[in-house]
Amino acid sequence: MLQTQELIWTWLLLGTAVCIQVTVVPSQVDVDVGESKFFSCQVTGGEAKDIFWFSPSGEKISANQQEISIVRNDEVSSTLSIYNVDIDDAGIYKCVVTTEGEGEMEATVNVQIYQKMVFRNAPSPQEFTEGEDAVVVCDVVSVQTPSVMWKHKGRDVVLKKDVRFVVLANNYLQIRGIKKTDEGMYRCEGRIQARGEIAFKDIQVVVNVAPSVRARQTTVNATANLGEAAVLACDADGFPDPEISWTKDGEMIEDDSDKYKFTEDGSEMTIFNIDKSDEGDYTCIAENKAGEQEASILLKVYAKPKITYVENKTAMELEEQITLTCEASGDPTPSITWRMATRNISSDEKTLDGRIVVSSHARVSSLTLNDIQYTDAGEYLCIGSNTIGQDSQAMYLEVQYAPKLQGPVAVYTWEGNAVNITCEVFAYPSAVVSWFRDGQALPSSNYSNIKIYSTPSASFLEVVPDSENDFGNYNCTAVNRIGQESSEFILVPADTPSSPSILKLEPYSSSAKMEFDEPDATGGVPILKYRAEWKVLGEGEWSSRMYDAKEASIENAITIVGLKPETVYAVRLSAINGKGLGEYSPVSEFKTEPVQGEPSAPKLDGQIGEDGKSIRINLIKQDDGGSPIRHYLYTYRAKNALEWSPETRVPSVSNHFTLKSLAWNAEYEVSVIAENLQGKSKPARFTFKTLFEPTAIPAGPSSGSGLGTGAIVGILIIVFVILLVVVDVTCYFLNKCGLLMCIAVNLCGKSGPGAKGKDIEEGKAAFSKDESKEPIVEVRTEEERTPNHDGGNQTEPNETTPLTEPEKAPVEENSKPEDTEAKTTAPEVKTIPNNATQTNENESKA
Ligand SMILES: *[C@@H]1O[C@H](CO)[C@@H](O)[C@H](O)[C@H]1NC(C)=O
Ligand SMILES: *[C@@H]1O[C@H](CO)[C@@H](O)[C@H](O)[C@H]1NC(C)=O
Ligand SMILES: *[C@@H]1O[C@H](CO)[C@@H](O)[C@H](O)[C@H]1NC(C)=O
Ligand SMILES: *[C@@H]1O[C@H](CO)[C@@H](O)[C@H](O)[C@H]1NC(C)=O
Ligand SMILES: *[C@@H]1O[C@H](CO)[C@@H](O)[C@H](O)[C@H]1NC(C)=O
Ligand SMILES: *[C@@H]1O[C@H](CO)[C@@H](O)[C@H](O)[C@H]1NC(C)=O
């Protein structure tokens, strides 16, 4: 039934439509959100009176709305424009046409609006902090619900099978405990199955890491007051790179002073001009958006000790005590010690006698002296020391005391002899010294023979006694602010010495040795001389001789000489001082010995010297043959050499002599003769060998003097040339012959005494022109000594020593002036008896 009705309606409609028809073009559209579309409503087969449009909600659309406009184009059409389509705009729009007579007709258009997927809330980048449960946000908006998946590095994160990755119900991606390695690009992808639509958004996931910071050194040491700089450094990690700031004891350190300097990233802070106040706890704070962390550094500032306080003190002698104080600063706290000129005192020490006590508290040390003595005065050094250094400063203790006097109380002199009475004064402050005699201040007109010399430490009263009255007491008085002290000095008349005593007489044939005891009393002044007197017993006149007291007192013996043999003598001795000749000893007698003859030869032994080529020959005295040995004569040569060295004299008091500058590893023999008044002994012989040359000294075996062979040859040549010239000159003047003479004759026409040239050519001239006046000149040349060269190398010392050092004979310590005769035998030219100048004069006059 219903179907029949519809069919009828359709028929009716179709019947009418034959006349007038209404269409909307297009009649079906899909519009994207935001698009704009227009639709035309067209009437065919007639005219339309009105054309209306109705919205899907059935409301009539008025002509001019914001997003929708209706324009009636002509009699048969109207256009509906929809701008910026919104989802709400979807639905069936109806175009209703009213006609004249035909009634209303209508057509519709179904506007279907669909929406592309859009990402509403999917910012990029999204930042998280490492470790947190991160949720990556992505809202996909669409009309139909899309399915969303997340991709990372091209793979679905779900397929990663990493439980940390979860796509939440709202399609957000949760990454639990996000790590730095999770960072990267994530793709949020939406799909709508119905439409096959895909939309995606790449989201940058950033993982921030909270800073971690470490101090490079947790303690930094620095020294104060040296202009030093200290560097504190922290190393920080984190993402983004953290910024580092610094605090000291909780207070922010500003960047703007000269005191601090920071590196660009703030990781190092330099503190300039370190002083004690810079010590403290420093903190470096590293900070980024993920968080902050800090590390602390202790800056320890050490300070070298510095003595900050000392004080000079003044004390009085016998004061009970005085305390010297010394303060020192420094870190670590310095320990203080004290030093005096004579000793070191460490802190907290008590000296043995308890007079000095040192006590220290922290930076202060005090040194207490008890029962002050004047010798305590002086410099006290206070020394502060700690592990990094020390400082010291001196302070001075003055001790004031009354004068103290010293000096020999009894002073001896004799009339007319000036003497000083010495009054030594110790005083602080210094004292004024005055002298008195019988209550009268000196000097005075009554005592004109007195002078006073003053030095800071002593006063000398110089007295020249004229008479007995000048002897006696003198009073030295010293006064200073503290007190006065006086002392009596006695000027005592000196006496002549008492008699010495003769202990023993040792007679020889012509001399006698007398041993004696010094006088018991010197008379107050030193003994200057001894006087011995002797005479042949029974005869009248005393012979006498003075002996120097110093020399005589070495052995307490003197020797009387010039006696006759086998004669009885009486002898006595007296001592002499400044005052005069003392008492004579009792007379002693002795008889001289008969003449016996020459002494026996001494015995010899020797010790090679440390240098290996010198020797000390010891002389062991033997019988003197009845009269004292006058001296010894020695000579030596290399073994097998033809010639002996010149004789050298050794005084009889010596018990040894030394030979020096010998050749290495050479055998020598020494011959020594003792001589007394009667004559010479037989020679004593001694042979020895010098050591091998040490390898360290490079020199030829023949270079006895340590010179190279070349040098010796050179010296020999020079000496030879000089000798030739000397010989020639000598000959010229003496004999009018020689090379010079030839030149002179040839050039100047002088006539030469040709007869004497022969002698010179022989190299030896010894003659006397005039028996009485002419000198005898003995000339020895190199040629004459040639045999020595042939004799062997070992003769070197004999030659080189005199040649190179003609003034120095091998004897040294035992030489006395009288021995120079022996020493100078080395030179090759001898003038006897006159010297060369006389010779020249004589000759040039002739
Ligand atoms: C700083 O000084 C202390 C004490 O002298 C010492 O123990 C420490 O090793 C020093 N530290 C450095 C880094 O020099
Ligand atoms: C102590 O005395 C000395 C000289 O006697 C002087 O050089 C020094 O300056 C004095 N010291 C003080 C602290 O007065
Ligand atoms: C005191 O100590 C110093 C340094 O240790 C030393 O050189 C000096 O000889 C000492 N002086 C005395 C009198 O001991
Ligand atoms: C006494 O002492 C003074 C000063 O030292 C000196 O000049 C003088 O020569 C001395 N007199 C005698 C006799 O020694
Ligand atoms: C010198 O001595 C005489 C007699 O003792 C005395 O009266 C006189 O005052 C003395 N002169 C001086 C200057 O002291
Ligand atoms: C030395 O002379 C002074 C001053 O006249 C006097 O006070 C003192 O007692 C005398 N001293 C002696 C030991 O006579």
Side-chain angles (χ1 to χ4, degrees), residues 310-312 394-396:
V310 292
E311 190 189 12
N312 290 340
M395 67 195 79
Y396 297 85

Side-chain angles (χ1 to χ4, degrees), residues 217 219-222 300 302 332 387-388:
Q217 289 177 299
T219 308
V220 172
N221 293 338
K300 196 88 192 70
Y302 295 97
T387 48
I388 62 164

Side-chain angles (χ1 to χ4, degrees), residues 440 444-446:
Q440 271 178 45
S444 103
S445 55
N446 279 4

Side-chain angles (χ1 to χ4, degrees), residues 79-97:
T79 303
L80 170 71
S81 301
I82 305 172
Y83 297 96
N84 284 330
V85 170
D86 193 1
I87 280 193
D88 304 339
D89 296 331
I92 295 171
Y93 288 79
K94 194 158 66 176
C95 165
V96 177
V97 177

